[in-house]
Amino acid sequence: MDGHDEHARRHAQNHTHTDTCDTGCCERLEAEGEVAVARLILDGNDPEHAANHVAGAIGTDPSLPEAHEALAELVARVGGPEAALRLFPDTARYTGALACRAELLAALGRPDEAVRLLAGVMAAAPARPWANVAWLTDPELPSRLGSVSLTQAVLSLCQGLDDPVSEAESAALVPFAAMVQAVVARGDDPQLAAVASGLARRLGDAERAIAWGEAAVRGGAGPMGAIMLGNALRRFGRVEEAIALWTRTVEQDPSQTYLMVDLAESLAYLGRRSEGLAWLEKVVAAEPAHEKAAPALLGMRFEDDGDPRHLLALADHHRAHPGHDYAAYLLGQHSRGLTWVGQVAGATEACINVLRQLIEAGNLEVSGEMSLSIIEPPSALATLRLVVPDLRMSFLEVGDPDPRVPARDVATMVWQYSGLDAVPAVAPPSPQTAALVRDLATPNWSGPTGLYDHAVGLAGVPVTELLGVLAHPPAPQEAPWPADFATEAPDYWVRSVQTIACAGIAHHRADEPWERSERRRILFDLLDGAEDWVCEAAGMALVAVAWAFPETRVEILDRLLNRLGLLIQAAEKRPVTILGSMCGLALACPWLEPRAAAFVHDVLSRLDSES
């Protein structure tokens, strides 16, 4: 998975670069068209309508001179900037209209308001050249700006920026950064120097970020200065210095609990996790529901011992405190790479191994029949046919107990057998449903609750349609995933499609109480159906439900263990390709009793030794 993900990331970056060039040309043409329309409408004496098109031109290409000339013509037509302001009210939601208003405010001699407003616009779309306009690059502007107002503007901008920003965003922000530099150079406000350090850090300017942070500390910016300087030192590799600074700061001011979290995480980064844990435990002892320290403590404990119960506690913390986004962030970070907790499990069938070899060899035109010793899950064979439609599989035996027989009598089935051949027992989904599931399918998620939330977009899809997707998945060639991941690993694609479809079923008639709901019955039927990837997908959907709704945990784990027990018994007599994955589903339930968890780990160890 890691190799595929890295390849996909590089491909996506390259694709984005190519599109940027093409998009820029298209935006210039679109903006020029808006200008032409605005002038025609203005000639017809309809300034309100013309203003919409001027805003459209500047919003599409803020650096287009003709767009600003059209704004000037509009201003002249209505009697000046003050009158024109009403055409671009401060309640406008479109960035182009707000950029026009900022320009008018600057023309009226209200630069502080203008810069604050434009900073918010820049934060909303930082890769656009909003700052490359005459009024903002006026060399006289810095002398007219108040440092308090600019501090607010820089803070507003930084809230919308990644750290670091992209190359395109960095280029777009150069004029604004130059203006900030000129005001900071006056040396009259250490708070401005502090927030400017944060901007320079995001732009990758190590020298200025550290210098401005040091100026803020010397000037008396207090904790804000220490925070920003420490962030700059840490970002540019001087972590020990950041730790020393922050230690002094929190010792002098114990109320800086958020800074204590940064200190603790920096200590852990240097391998001093026990010291970091001690700081976090100190904060949480005083504030058990601290927005950042409580999740950070759980995350660091997971790093320390790998116990998934800490991840479950993160999910429970976020459910109890939906505004504590750091808990969700850490859950996603620590779930990454964990089978079923954060990503779909890969397939182990012999026919999938054959498929991978054919893909690697680039030999997908092969035809004929291949014989395998024992029957394999229908979804695995369907995946093979999606990619190599002319290759047929035959089997020498079924095995005992018969994998074609459900674990119990079920009312919902996805596959039915004619001899050794499995055929869909459900109709194909509509093209609309197939497309919706295709677009939502993902091999990774930010913890089971993240998967549950991600599938909410399928809540209104009829359950028969979602069942249809399980047996009739979109082809991997249709996947919207970056690079060629889906076609290189079609088993991950199909299993991801089935998982999101089952998670969608978990939202079916969500107003029904779980214990007597249709979604519960269907998912348990799918879990206990004939051996297939669908059992695993349904199992993951149930795990997601259990993480999201604690009252369901005992029953869902009992049902998963029951199904797992039957598969373990079957594996004593014949191969069970889904056994390892089903073990992973049980272990994805951190409320599993430790002795049972140890037994499941033993089963996995035996499977690994036999492979």
Side-chain angles (χ1 to χ4, degrees), residues 61-81:
D61 185 355
S63 64
L64 181 67
E66 292 88 341
H68 297 276
E69 291 169 6
L71 177 60
E73 294 167 16
L74 176 65
V75 170
R77 181 67 62 90
V78 299

Side-chain angles (χ1 to χ4, degrees), residues 26-42:
C26 293
E27 288 178 346
R28 176 59 57 97
L29 290 173
E30 183 181 343
E32 289 173 346
E34 291 278 13
V35 168
V37 172
R39 283 175 168 151
L40 285 172
I41 295 173
L42 197 56

